[in-house]
Every structure is written in structure tokens, then in C-alpha cells.
Amino acid sequence: MDRLDKVEEEISRLSREVEELNKVISRKTFQLDEIAASKPRLEKSISERRARLVQMESDSSNYKEQLDLLEGEIKKSEELLIIEQQKIEKIEGDLKGSEIPELNKKADDANSEIKRLQDRLAGIDAEILKDKIREESLQERLKELAARKDALDVQKAEARQRKDAAETEILALHEQLKAEQAREAEIETELHGLKGVRVELLEKTIAMQREIDQADREMDRIEARNMATTAAKDTIQSKVDILRTEIEACGVDSTQEPPKSETVAEKIRALEEAMRNLEPVNMLAIEEYDHVLTRHDFLQQRRTTLSDERESIIDKLEKYDQMKKEAFFASFHEINKNFKLIFQELSNGDGDLILENPEDPLAAGMTIKARPAGKPFHRLEAMSGGEKSLTALSFIFSIQMFRPAPFYAMDEIDMFLDGANVERVAKLIKKISSKAQFIVVSLRKPMILQSKYTLGVTMQENNLSSVTGICTS
């Protein structure tokens, strides 16, 4: 039995280790799923950045081509300017004072055009510099994403290795568990055989004890008979002596022929019958039997009482467990129904409360399944702040509708909500405020408009707070 207990303790320890390893595998699997879920997003971002980089390189090439064209135009303009200046000098030499103002004007216009082209060229250079800086930042970002991807790949590989090692260890533990179970079966078989041998030995011991008791009783009977015979002999001897004395006193010779054997045998039989009738009896046996019987009846009564109380306690515990389960399911179904309606009202989506173990809900947890309108199901980490707020508020209000409290104090519950969702939450609070009072701290206009009383706190001079209030309904 000690060996069996040790084996059972070892099996329990191995089972706990297997459960711990399963938890570690689940956690690592969850991390791998998160990494796998984020990988397409990162790859998509990298591909978008690469496409943007290619587009910027294409735009840079176009800008360079335009710059080359502009430089060519500038050179042509400069050549034309030189030609025009030569013409102007020639014309000034040929026609002094007649067409000089007009030619000067043309020269000024050409200079203005050159300046404009130079300004444009400077702007294009600035754009090219910005594009280069943006390209460098994108290159750095791309390198960072690539390094992060490599790190995630390394972590994924390490996680897979740890997972494989854990699976190998689990297989080894399963094999060891099977061996221990086989050993346990062998021990059970051996224990069963030993129990059979023990029963046989116990039966033999009981039979031998019975024989010993019977022999003791027979010995007591023989000793009693011997004592009775000795006493009878002494009595008879004393009577014989008395009779011999009387006979001798009567002048009868004691050496004469004794009485007949039949007479003596008859007397002996009578004495033996009397001795058998007076066999030794333990007179305390009756008192001991009564005492033991009284004790047995008392213990039997106590055992019956304790057994009845045990069965009653077990029945009560089962009844209480059933009552707790029924009360829990009654509350759960009502809260789940309220949660579906409230989540539908707040987000136009689908929401549900799911028990992890419907057979024993008090020993397991609960999962909130929520999907806003037009969106797929996500893990809680992947939901936005507004979606998380709507889910939490729906759960709180579903409990409030099932068992209202006297009042509720809420601090900026609409912080992560947009205007439409704030208005929905405010209308819901106003609708259910007939059953409870709500004190809501908010800075959003829709929430303030739906309130009955509005209190405002402002900071005045000398760091003094001023409280004002209005009735908005």
C-alpha cells in the first residue's frame, strides 16, 4: 500500500507537470499566433513602403529629367541671351538712341525669365533634397522592419524549438506515465492476490482460534471433572475411613470382602452424574456479555446516526451545489440576454457570453464574444479602445439591468468613444436611469445634453475652485 501511495503521488506529480507543460505550450502557441497574425501586416507595410520607395525613385528620376530639361532650357536661354546681347551691342552700335529702350526691356524680360527659372531650379533642388531625406528615412525604417522581422523569425524558431522540446518531453512523460500505469496495474494485481491470501490466512486464523477455544473449553471441562473426581475421592475416602472406624467399632473386620462392584459402580455413576450437573460455570460471563452487548448496541446506534448524518450532509451539499448552479444559470441567462440587447443597441453588432465549462460553470471561467457591426471577430488585444469600452459598458449595464444598484459613479467612460457612440451610451444611461441614479464625469457634449443636472468645476483666481450647476432637462 505504501508503494502504491508513492506511485500515485508520482503519477499526480507527473500529471501536474504535464498540465504545466500544456499551459506553457498554449502560451507559446498564442505568442506564435500573434507573431503569425502580425507578420502579414508587417509584410504588407514593408511592401507598401517598398512600393512607395519605388514610386519616389520614379518621381526622383522624373524630377531629374525635368531638371535636365530645365538646365537645357536655361543654357538655351543663356545662349539666346548672349546672342540677344550681341545683337543689342550691334544694334546699339548701328542705331544709337533709336531702339535701345526696347532692347533693354527685352534684356530685362530675359533676366526676369532667367531668375524665375533659377528660382524654379532651386525649388526643384529642395524637392529633390526632401525626397532624398524621405528616402533615407524610409530606408532606415525598412532596415528596422527587416531587423524586427529577423528578430521575430528568430523568436519564432526558438519558440518552435521549445515547443518541439516540450512535445518530446511530453511524449517521454506519457511513456513514463504509461509505464507507471502498467506498474500500478501489476501492483493492483499483486495487491489483489495478497488480499486473497490475507483473507485465507484470516479464515485459517479464525478456524484455529475456534479450535483453540474449543480445546480450552474441553481442558476446563476435564480439569473440572478431575477436581470433582478428586473431591469425590477425598469425600469417599473420608466416608470409608469413618465407615471403617464404625465397622471396626462395631467389631467388623475391615479386611473382610468389600461390597459388590455393581453397588460401587452404581454409586460412582451417580456421583459422576452429579458432577456433570455441577460442572464449573463462569458466572461473570453473563454480566460481561450484557456489558459487551450494551456497548455494541451503543456503538451500532452511533454508527447508524453518523451514517445517516453523513448521507444527510452529502444530500444537502449536493442540493446546495444544484441550487448554486441553478441560481448561477438563471442569473447568467438573464445577463447574457441583456448583454446581447445592449451590445446590439450600442454597436449594432453581435455579442454573447460563453461559458468555458457549461457542465461545471463554478469551476471554470467565462469568455465575452463581441463583434461590432461590419467587423470580424477579434481578440481583445486587437480591438480598438472604443470597441473595448462599448463591450465593457454593455457587460456592466447588463448586470445593472438584472440586479440594479442604488446609484452608479462613472468617470469618463466615453473617453475613447466617438460622437455617435457617446450619444448612444448617453441615451442608454438616460433610459435606465429610472431604476438607478447615475453620476457621470464627462467632457463630451452628447453626454452633458442627456443629463438632468449638470455641475461644472472651474479654477478661479488664487487656485480656488468654483462650482456651478444647471438643470438641463
Side-chain angles (χ1 to χ4, degrees), residues 318-379:
E318 292 177 353
K319 183 178 179 181
Y320 292 156
D321 290 338
Q322 185 65 26
M323 291 173 65
K324 287 194 296 184
K325 188 181 293 185
E326 292 175 357
F328 174 83
F329 275 116
S331 302
F332 174 79
H333 291 314
E334 290 296 327
I335 293 173
N336 190 18
K337 183 170 67 176
N338 296 336
F339 178 79
K340 292 179 181 179
L341 297 175
I342 294 173
F343 191 82
Q344 171 69 24
E345 184 176 353
L346 292 181
S347 64
N348 295 325
D350 300 327
D352 194 10
L353 302 179
I354 300 175
L355 295 175
E356 294 180 358
N357 186 4
E359 299 297 329
D360 191 6
L362 301 178
M366 183 190 73
T367 301
I368 297 178
K369 185 177 181 182
R371 179 179 65 182
K375 293 186 178 181
F377 285 107
H378 288 296
R379 303 183 71 87

Side-chain angles (χ1 to χ4, degrees), residues 2 32 71 105 107 119 125 140 146 174 210 216 233 247 273 298 337 372 387 437-438 441-443 448:
D2 293 336
L32 288 174
E71 288 179 352
K105 184 178 180 181
D119 293 337
D125 290 335
E140 292 295 331
H174 278 303
R210 289 176 181 174
D216 291 336
K233 180 181 177 181
I247 290 171
E273 183 68 23
F298 175 74
K337 183 170 67 176
E387 293 170 349
Q437 294 180 347
F438 285 83
V441 178
S442 177
L443 301 174
I448 296 173

Side-chain angles (χ1 to χ4, degrees), residues 130-274:
K130 290 181 181 178
D131 292 335
K132 286 182 178 179
I133 294 172
R134 192 180 297 112
E135 181 180 357
E136 290 176 356
S137 64
L138 290 175
Q139 288 288 346
E140 292 295 331
R141 180 61 176 168
L142 186 61
K143 290 179 181 179
E144 182 182 353
L145 292 175
R148 187 175 179 185
K149 180 184 177 184
D150 295 336
L152 291 175
D153 291 336
V154 171
Q155 292 179 0
K156 184 177 180 181
E158 292 177 353
R160 285 181 178 175
Q161 291 177 357
R162 288 194 294 270
K163 180 182 177 183
D164 295 336
E167 289 178 351
T168 304
E169 188 175 357
I170 287 171
L171 291 175
L173 290 174
H174 278 303
E175 293 296 331
Q176 188 176 358
L177 182 61
K178 289 180 180 178
E180 294 294 340
Q181 288 176 352
R183 179 60 181 164
E184 182 183 1
E186 294 177 359
I187 293 173
E188 285 287 344
T189 305
E190 184 178 357
L191 182 62
H192 184 69
L194 292 175
K195 286 181 178 178
V197 173
R198 180 187 175 186
V199 172
E200 292 178 359
L201 292 174
L202 185 61
E203 291 177 354
K204 290 181 179 179
T205 303
I206 294 171
M208 292 179 68
Q209 187 67 36
R210 289 176 181 174
E211 292 178 358
I212 291 170
D213 294 337
Q214 187 175 359
D216 291 336
R217 288 194 298 271
E218 187 68 24
M219 185 177 293
D220 293 336
R221 190 180 300 111
I222 292 170
E223 288 179 354
R225 189 175 298 171
N226 190 13
M227 291 174 62
T229 303
T230 303
K233 180 181 177 181
D234 295 337
T235 304
I236 292 171
Q237 186 65 39
S238 62
K239 288 181 178 181
V240 169
D241 294 337
I242 294 170
L243 289 173
R244 184 178 284 115
T245 304
E246 291 178 355
I247 290 171
E248 290 179 352
C250 293
V252 179
D253 189 5
S254 59
T255 59
Q256 291 181 357
E257 187 70 21
K260 294 182 179 181
S261 60
E262 290 82 6
T263 304
V264 175
E266 184 65 28
K267 289 182 178 181
I268 291 172
R269 283 195 295 271
L271 291 173
E272 288 178 352
E273 183 68 23

Side-chain angles (χ1 to χ4, degrees), residues 8-20:
E8 289 179 351
E9 290 177 359
E10 185 66 20
I11 291 171
S12 300
R13 185 182 64 80
L14 292 175
S15 300
R16 289 194 297 270
E17 291 180 358
V18 169
E19 290 178 358
E20 293 295 331

